[in-house]
Structures are given as structure tokens and as C-alpha cells.
Amino acid sequence: MPDRNVDLLWALRSPCNLGCTYCYFGTIEEHRDRPALEVGRLSHLSRTDLGLPEIAAFVATLADSPVRRIFLAGGEPLIWPPVLEIVEEIKRGGVEVVLCTNGIPLGRDAVARRIVELGVDAVSVSLDADTAAVNDRYRPARNRKDGFDQVLAGVENLLRRRAEAGGQGPRIGLYAAIGRHNITAINTVPRLAADLGLDYFVPQPVSLAPDHALHDELCLRPDDIERVRAELDRLWRSRPVALPDASYPDRFVAAVTPGAPSRVAACFGGTFLHFIQPDGSVWDCPSALRIAATEPDRRRSIAGRTAAELFAHDGACGGCALFSADCVSMWPLTGFGSFLPGGVR
Ligand SMILES: C[S@@+](CC[C@H](N)C(=O)[O-])C[C@H]1O[C@@H](n2cnc3c(N)ncnc32)[C@H](O)[C@@H]1O
Ligand code: SF4
């Protein structure tokens, strides 16, 4: 059995029941008019998502591989009917599973119960505010009905199912995308998490291309740094739930500071962490800069390949000179073991 020290962030499938205005996948409306065809571009309209047979064939190879933990994201992973079959197979291969979800599908009993039965290790739920008014403005549902209330109902349902199992079940946490509109969510959302009885919280800066229609409205600017720093300091002092390690506030601030060093020595991207796109493409990490810099002869796919072939490495971590807001949320992924029973792994 090889050492298990590789984590995968896998955007399993593209579709989503929400239409978050800042989503990395863009919006269906914009891509209807202008299909997103460039290498590495994500789209909720993707017609190139791998199907169940190709996904299942790759998952069947995980047991004999260095993969330790898979973060299943999307799109919305929990609206794809076979997702829990895939989770079962991943767990059978001895790999930990963290589900990254908008939380609404957790309101379905069959989903919440099965997540607990399968021994899913953690469920990370996205919520950008402690009020519906702020959260739902930028995270609207495509059916124009669901939002904050349904996310909370989903989280509470999963908590109930975990309690019924005697507390044996996934760790549950909240993720908030932080922009100019919700800087105070750095503290209000983890307080909500604590009140609900959840386990961890991660704030991440909204990251948008400079030409995105919402870039100026949402992306943090240098004149927000003082407020952001004060909120982060307050959170790391009060720690209402588990948080990423103490280096994280500095990385968050660096990502929005002009002229901050862009070089990351010994980056884990491409060695201990990889990103898989819904079409099966494998990248060093989800950073748009890093994907754009990938030489064509280094492009790979999980289709028809085994996890052992794809993720074998000699432990040498290369540095990266492309640090950006896209990268910040990768640190809590590589340090995720501290949120799980048994602490840092
Ligand atoms: C793409 S979503 C996929 C999983 C699931 N649908 C969800 O919303 O949690 C993964 C995470 O990326 C965050 N996210 C999406 N677009 C972002 C952006 N432009 N900048 C920062 N975070 C973003 C979401 O808020 C969510 O926490
Ligand atoms: S719920 Fe997740 S995948 Fe869906 S639009 Fe929002 S951020 Fe994107």
C-alpha cells in the first residue's frame, strides 16, 4: 500500500440548482450566448462532463493509490443522482470523503441519512451571511424559491441524522465567500455555525477576473484590508468553532494586497493536491493562472487512467510564482485533517 498523502479537489459535475452570481462556473445565462470553450474554463452548461462509467472506472482504482482524501464539489455534487454510489466506492477504496455542497439537498432525508451511513468524513456547506437578505442576493436559486432557509433546514436535518447515529457522522462546517458586501460575515457566520452546533468555519475571498461584471462590486480592495484584518483577528481570538491554522489570516490578506509576494515556496499544488474538472482534466490546482500556465504536453485526464499512475510523486514540492485569491482556499484543504476526529494528519 503506497503512502496516502495526496488530496483531490474534484469538481465532479457541472450542473447546479443555485445560480450564485460570482460562481467560478459563471452563469448559465452568459454561457448560453457565449459558450465557455477555453481550456480549463468551467461552465454549469458543460456538455463534456464525464459520465458515470468513466467516473466509476477511475474511482475503482483509488484503493491502490496515494490518494488520502477527496473533496467532492461541483457544480452541486448532491443533485447528481449517482453521487452517493460514487461516495460509497471511494470509501470502499479507503479514501476519506468531504462533500462540498450548497446545503439545500441535505434537506432530503434519504440524502442526509445515507451520508451518515456511508461514513462521509465531513460536509462543508456554503453560506455567505447570517441573514437571508445578504446571502440570497448573491446566491439565488434557479427556482427563485430556495435559499438561506433551505440551507439551514438542510444543515439541521444532517445534524439530526448525526445525532440519531449517536454523534457518529460527518464533521459539518460552513464556508463563506467574502467580498465587499459581507466583510462582517467573517464573524457572523462562524457564530451562527457555533449556535447550530457545527464544527468548523472557513472564510475565503471572492475571486473574479478583472473583467467580470461583479469584480468591482464584490472583490476586496486595498481600502478594505483594515476591516478584513480586524475581522480576521477577532475571529482567530474568539474561535467559536475550529478554524484553519494560524497562517491563514495572513494568506487571506496577502491575496488582496497589491504588490504582496506572489511566490509560494514549496507549494503543494500538483504534488500533494490536484484539481479535477468535470470533464476529467487534472490540474495542479484550480487557480486560473496556474491552469493557463500549464503546458499542453502536461495536460492529463482521469478518463481511462488509474489514480496510482496519475498521482504518484517523489515528494518533491515545486514552488509557484502565481499566488492569487484563487489559491487561498487551498490551504484549508491541505490542512483539513485538523477538522477531522484525531486532529492534524
Ligand atoms: C464552486 S462551489 C461547489 C460546491 C457547492 N456547489 C457549493 O456552493 O458549496 C465551491 C465553493 O466555491 C465558492 N466559490 C464559488 N465561486 C467563487 C469565487 N468566484 N470566489 C470565491 N469563492 C467562490 C463557493 O461559495 C463554494 O464555497
Ligand atoms: S451553489 Fe456552488 S456551484 Fe452552485 S452556483 Fe453557487 S457556488 Fe456555484
Side-chain angles (χ1 to χ4, degrees), residues 2-27:
D3 273 359
R4 289 195 184 259
N5 54 14
V6 170
D7 298 336
L8 305 179
L9 171 57
W10 188 355
L12 188 64
R13 302 274 302 182
S14 296
C16 190
N17 51 327
L18 297 193
C20 303
T21 52
Y22 56 76
C23 183
Y24 294 124
F25 281 69
T27 63

mmCIF file of all heavy atoms in Angstrom, residues 2-27:
data_model
loop_
_atom_site.group_PDB
_atom_site.id
_atom_site.type_symbol
_atom_site.label_atom_id
_atom_site.label_comp_id
_atom_site.label_asym_id
_atom_site.label_seq_id
_atom_site.Cartn_x
_atom_site.Cartn_y
_atom_site.Cartn_z
ATOM 1 N N PRO A 2 0.759 2.155 -0.986
ATOM 2 C CA PRO A 2 1.586 3.366 -1.006
ATOM 3 C C PRO A 2 1.186 4.310 0.127
ATOM 4 O O PRO A 2 0.095 4.190 0.688
ATOM 5 C CB PRO A 2 1.230 3.991 -2.365
ATOM 6 C CG PRO A 2 -0.113 3.427 -2.715
ATOM 7 C CD PRO A 2 -0.241 2.102 -2.031
ATOM 8 N N ASP A 3 2.108 5.252 0.478
ATOM 9 C CA ASP A 3 1.754 6.290 1.457
ATOM 10 C C ASP A 3 0.578 7.083 0.920
ATOM 11 O O ASP A 3 0.589 7.482 -0.240
ATOM 12 C CB ASP A 3 2.917 7.277 1.613
ATOM 13 C CG ASP A 3 3.891 6.783 2.641
ATOM 14 O OD1 ASP A 3 3.629 5.715 3.220
ATOM 15 O OD2 ASP A 3 4.903 7.474 2.819
ATOM 16 N N ARG A 4 -0.384 7.342 1.790
ATOM 17 C CA ARG A 4 -1.523 8.147 1.316
ATOM 18 C C ARG A 4 -1.284 9.586 1.740
ATOM 19 O O ARG A 4 -1.440 9.932 2.907
ATOM 20 C CB ARG A 4 -2.814 7.619 1.926
ATOM 21 C CG ARG A 4 -3.241 6.268 1.348
ATOM 22 C CD ARG A 4 -4.671 5.991 1.723
ATOM 23 N NE ARG A 4 -5.128 4.690 1.284
ATOM 24 C CZ ARG A 4 -5.884 4.498 0.201
ATOM 25 N NH1 ARG A 4 -6.222 5.518 -0.563
ATOM 26 N NH2 ARG A 4 -6.302 3.290 -0.111
ATOM 27 N N ASN A 5 -0.892 10.415 0.779
ATOM 28 C CA ASN A 5 -0.616 11.820 1.120
ATOM 29 C C ASN A 5 -1.060 12.792 0.026
ATOM 30 O O ASN A 5 -0.593 13.925 -0.027
ATOM 31 C CB ASN A 5 0.874 11.999 1.438
ATOM 32 C CG ASN A 5 1.751 11.491 0.298
ATOM 33 O OD1 ASN A 5 1.248 11.248 -0.795
ATOM 34 N ND2 ASN A 5 3.034 11.334 0.546
ATOM 35 N N VAL A 6 -1.963 12.332 -0.837
ATOM 36 C CA VAL A 6 -2.443 13.188 -1.935
ATOM 37 C C VAL A 6 -3.935 13.464 -1.736
ATOM 38 O O VAL A 6 -4.706 12.542 -1.446
ATOM 39 C CB VAL A 6 -2.225 12.487 -3.293
ATOM 40 C CG1 VAL A 6 -2.924 13.248 -4.408
ATOM 41 C CG2 VAL A 6 -0.739 12.342 -3.587
ATOM 42 N N ASP A 7 -4.304 14.716 -1.876
ATOM 43 C CA ASP A 7 -5.718 15.098 -1.780
ATOM 44 C C ASP A 7 -6.205 15.585 -3.152
ATOM 45 O O ASP A 7 -5.442 16.212 -3.896
ATOM 46 C CB ASP A 7 -5.900 16.225 -0.762
ATOM 47 C CG ASP A 7 -5.473 15.799 0.635
ATOM 48 O OD1 ASP A 7 -5.485 14.583 0.920
ATOM 49 O OD2 ASP A 7 -5.114 16.681 1.433
ATOM 50 N N LEU A 8 -7.460 15.301 -3.449
ATOM 51 C CA LEU A 8 -8.038 15.735 -4.724
ATOM 52 C C LEU A 8 -9.220 16.646 -4.458
ATOM 53 O O LEU A 8 -10.102 16.306 -3.654
ATOM 54 C CB LEU A 8 -8.534 14.523 -5.533
ATOM 55 C CG LEU A 8 -7.511 13.414 -5.809
ATOM 56 C CD1 LEU A 8 -8.178 12.286 -6.601
ATOM 57 C CD2 LEU A 8 -6.311 13.962 -6.578
ATOM 58 N N LEU A 9 -9.237 17.793 -5.113
ATOM 59 C CA LEU A 9 -10.444 18.629 -5.148
ATOM 60 C C LEU A 9 -11.096 18.311 -6.485
ATOM 61 O O LEU A 9 -10.545 18.615 -7.539
ATOM 62 C CB LEU A 9 -10.066 20.116 -5.077
ATOM 63 C CG LEU A 9 -11.216 21.104 -5.316
ATOM 64 C CD1 LEU A 9 -12.358 20.891 -4.335
ATOM 65 C CD2 LEU A 9 -10.708 22.538 -5.235
ATOM 66 N N TRP A 10 -12.236 17.646 -6.424
ATOM 67 C CA TRP A 10 -12.849 17.107 -7.641
ATOM 68 C C TRP A 10 -14.196 17.799 -7.880
ATOM 69 O O TRP A 10 -15.146 17.572 -7.138
ATOM 70 C CB TRP A 10 -13.036 15.599 -7.482
ATOM 71 C CG TRP A 10 -13.482 14.875 -8.722
ATOM 72 C CD1 TRP A 10 -13.828 15.404 -9.930
ATOM 73 C CD2 TRP A 10 -13.621 13.451 -8.855
ATOM 74 N NE1 TRP A 10 -14.165 14.410 -10.812
ATOM 75 C CE2 TRP A 10 -14.045 13.198 -10.175
ATOM 76 C CE3 TRP A 10 -13.436 12.378 -7.991
ATOM 77 C CZ2 TRP A 10 -14.298 11.910 -10.650
ATOM 78 C CZ3 TRP A 10 -13.675 11.088 -8.458
ATOM 79 C CH2 TRP A 10 -14.096 10.862 -9.778
ATOM 80 N N ALA A 11 -14.226 18.656 -8.868
ATOM 81 C CA ALA A 11 -15.493 19.262 -9.308
ATOM 82 C C ALA A 11 -16.176 18.198 -10.175
ATOM 83 O O ALA A 11 -15.921 18.088 -11.367
ATOM 84 C CB ALA A 11 -15.234 20.539 -10.091
ATOM 85 N N LEU A 12 -17.016 17.409 -9.513
ATOM 86 C CA LEU A 12 -17.484 16.148 -10.102
ATOM 87 C C LEU A 12 -18.363 16.370 -11.335
ATOM 88 O O LEU A 12 -18.171 15.726 -12.366
ATOM 89 C CB LEU A 12 -18.254 15.381 -9.013
ATOM 90 C CG LEU A 12 -18.677 13.968 -9.300
ATOM 91 C CD1 LEU A 12 -17.478 13.058 -9.483
ATOM 92 C CD2 LEU A 12 -19.538 13.433 -8.134
ATOM 93 N N ARG A 13 -19.316 17.260 -11.199
ATOM 94 C CA ARG A 13 -20.253 17.515 -12.315
ATOM 95 C C ARG A 13 -20.568 19.012 -12.327
ATOM 96 O O ARG A 13 -20.481 19.683 -11.301
ATOM 97 C CB ARG A 13 -21.545 16.730 -12.098
ATOM 98 C CG ARG A 13 -21.346 15.237 -11.978
ATOM 99 C CD ARG A 13 -21.331 14.546 -13.289
ATOM 100 N NE ARG A 13 -22.557 14.783 -14.016
ATOM 101 C CZ ARG A 13 -22.850 14.261 -15.209
ATOM 102 N NH1 ARG A 13 -21.991 13.446 -15.805
ATOM 103 N NH2 ARG A 13 -23.982 14.533 -15.805
ATOM 104 N N SER A 14 -21.006 19.509 -13.477
ATOM 105 C CA SER A 14 -21.172 20.961 -13.638
ATOM 106 C C SER A 14 -22.514 21.543 -13.177
ATOM 107 O O SER A 14 -22.553 22.684 -12.723
ATOM 108 C CB SER A 14 -20.986 21.333 -15.104
ATOM 109 O OG SER A 14 -19.674 21.047 -15.499
ATOM 110 N N PRO A 15 -23.647 20.838 -13.357
ATOM 111 C CA PRO A 15 -24.931 21.493 -13.076
ATOM 112 C C PRO A 15 -25.105 21.904 -11.618
ATOM 113 O O PRO A 15 -24.471 21.350 -10.727
ATOM 114 C CB PRO A 15 -25.968 20.421 -13.456
ATOM 115 C CG PRO A 15 -25.253 19.547 -14.423
ATOM 116 C CD PRO A 15 -23.827 19.507 -13.946
ATOM 117 N N CYS A 16 -25.964 22.882 -11.410
ATOM 118 C CA CYS A 16 -26.227 23.367 -10.061
ATOM 119 C C CYS A 16 -27.655 23.882 -9.959
ATOM 120 O O CYS A 16 -28.205 24.408 -10.924
ATOM 121 C CB CYS A 16 -25.252 24.478 -9.694
ATOM 122 S SG CYS A 16 -25.360 24.880 -7.933
ATOM 123 N N ASN A 17 -28.228 23.751 -8.765
ATOM 124 C CA ASN A 17 -29.574 24.267 -8.502
ATOM 125 C C ASN A 17 -29.560 25.737 -8.090
ATOM 126 O O ASN A 17 -30.598 26.367 -8.017
ATOM 127 C CB ASN A 17 -30.276 23.425 -7.426
ATOM 128 C CG ASN A 17 -29.416 23.244 -6.178
ATOM 129 O OD1 ASN A 17 -28.204 23.169 -6.249
ATOM 130 N ND2 ASN A 17 -30.060 23.176 -5.034
ATOM 131 N N LEU A 18 -28.370 26.266 -7.777
ATOM 132 C CA LEU A 18 -28.267 27.699 -7.497
ATOM 133 C C LEU A 18 -27.595 28.397 -8.678
ATOM 134 O O LEU A 18 -26.993 27.743 -9.540
ATOM 135 C CB LEU A 18 -27.448 27.973 -6.227
ATOM 136 C CG LEU A 18 -27.966 27.450 -4.890
ATOM 137 C CD1 LEU A 18 -27.194 28.083 -3.736
ATOM 138 C CD2 LEU A 18 -29.450 27.721 -4.714
ATOM 139 N N GLY A 19 -27.694 29.705 -8.682
ATOM 140 C CA GLY A 19 -27.036 30.495 -9.726
ATOM 141 C C GLY A 19 -26.250 31.610 -9.061
ATOM 142 O O GLY A 19 -26.518 32.800 -9.309
ATOM 143 N N CYS A 20 -25.277 31.225 -8.216
ATOM 144 C CA CYS A 20 -24.516 32.251 -7.494
ATOM 145 C C CYS A 20 -23.846 33.177 -8.514
ATOM 146 O O CYS A 20 -23.227 32.715 -9.484
ATOM 147 C CB CYS A 20 -23.490 31.601 -6.573
ATOM 148 S SG CYS A 20 -24.262 30.460 -5.409
ATOM 149 N N THR A 21 -23.982 34.463 -8.258
ATOM 150 C CA THR A 21 -23.598 35.444 -9.279
ATOM 151 C C THR A 21 -22.088 35.512 -9.473
ATOM 152 O O THR A 21 -21.621 35.979 -10.504
ATOM 153 C CB THR A 21 -24.111 36.834 -8.858
ATOM 154 O OG1 THR A 21 -23.662 37.067 -7.505
ATOM 155 C CG2 THR A 21 -25.622 36.897 -8.903
ATOM 156 N N TYR A 22 -21.332 35.054 -8.457
ATOM 157 C CA TYR A 22 -19.870 35.129 -8.539
ATOM 158 C C TYR A 22 -19.250 33.768 -8.803
ATOM 159 O O TYR A 22 -18.035 33.609 -8.692
ATOM 160 C CB TYR A 22 -19.303 35.699 -7.226
ATOM 161 C CG TYR A 22 -19.729 34.910 -6.008
ATOM 162 C CD1 TYR A 22 -19.144 33.679 -5.705
ATOM 163 C CD2 TYR A 22 -20.744 35.370 -5.162
ATOM 164 C CE1 TYR A 22 -19.548 32.934 -4.617
ATOM 165 C CE2 TYR A 22 -21.148 34.635 -4.063
ATOM 166 C CZ TYR A 22 -20.540 33.408 -3.790
ATOM 167 O OH TYR A 22 -20.943 32.667 -2.711
ATOM 168 N N CYS A 23 -20.066 32.754 -9.126
ATOM 169 C CA CYS A 23 -19.551 31.376 -9.140
ATOM 170 C C CYS A 23 -18.407 31.198 -10.142
ATOM 171 O O CYS A 23 -18.443 31.736 -11.246
ATOM 172 C CB CYS A 23 -20.677 30.401 -9.475
ATOM 173 S SG CYS A 23 -20.114 28.679 -9.428
ATOM 174 N N TYR A 24 -17.416 30.393 -9.746
ATOM 175 C CA TYR A 24 -16.303 30.042 -10.648
ATOM 176 C C TYR A 24 -16.831 29.456 -11.967
ATOM 177 O O TYR A 24 -16.132 29.482 -12.967
ATOM 178 C CB TYR A 24 -15.422 28.958 -10.011
ATOM 179 C CG TYR A 24 -14.663 29.351 -8.783
ATOM 180 C CD1 TYR A 24 -14.812 28.632 -7.598
ATOM 181 C CD2 TYR A 24 -13.772 30.416 -8.800
ATOM 182 C CE1 TYR A 24 -14.087 28.958 -6.453
ATOM 183 C CE2 TYR A 24 -13.051 30.755 -7.662
ATOM 184 C CZ TYR A 24 -13.215 30.032 -6.499
ATOM 185 O OH TYR A 24 -12.499 30.352 -5.366
ATOM 186 N N PHE A 25 -18.026 28.881 -11.925
ATOM 187 C CA PHE A 25 -18.601 28.259 -13.128
ATOM 188 C C PHE A 25 -19.329 29.272 -14.008
ATOM 189 O O PHE A 25 -19.929 28.892 -15.014
ATOM 190 C CB PHE A 25 -19.569 27.135 -12.732
ATOM 191 C CG PHE A 25 -18.878 25.854 -12.356
ATOM 192 C CD1 PHE A 25 -18.119 25.762 -11.194
ATOM 193 C CD2 PHE A 25 -18.973 24.731 -13.167
ATOM 194 C CE1 PHE A 25 -17.469 24.586 -10.840
ATOM 195 C CE2 PHE A 25 -18.328 23.548 -12.831
ATOM 196 C CZ PHE A 25 -17.577 23.474 -11.661
ATOM 197 N N GLY A 26 -19.322 30.561 -13.652
ATOM 198 C CA GLY A 26 -20.062 31.555 -14.432
ATOM 199 C C GLY A 26 -21.558 31.321 -14.287
ATOM 200 O O GLY A 26 -22.006 30.585 -13.402
ATOM 201 N N THR A 27 -22.337 31.956 -15.143
ATOM 202 C CA THR A 27 -23.790 31.771 -15.076
ATOM 203 C C THR A 27 -24.273 31.118 -16.369
ATOM 204 O O THR A 27 -23.665 31.280 -17.431
ATOM 205 C CB THR A 27 -24.525 33.108 -14.906
ATOM 206 O OG1 THR A 27 -24.267 33.917 -16.054
ATOM 207 C CG2 THR A 27 -24.075 33.838 -13.642
#
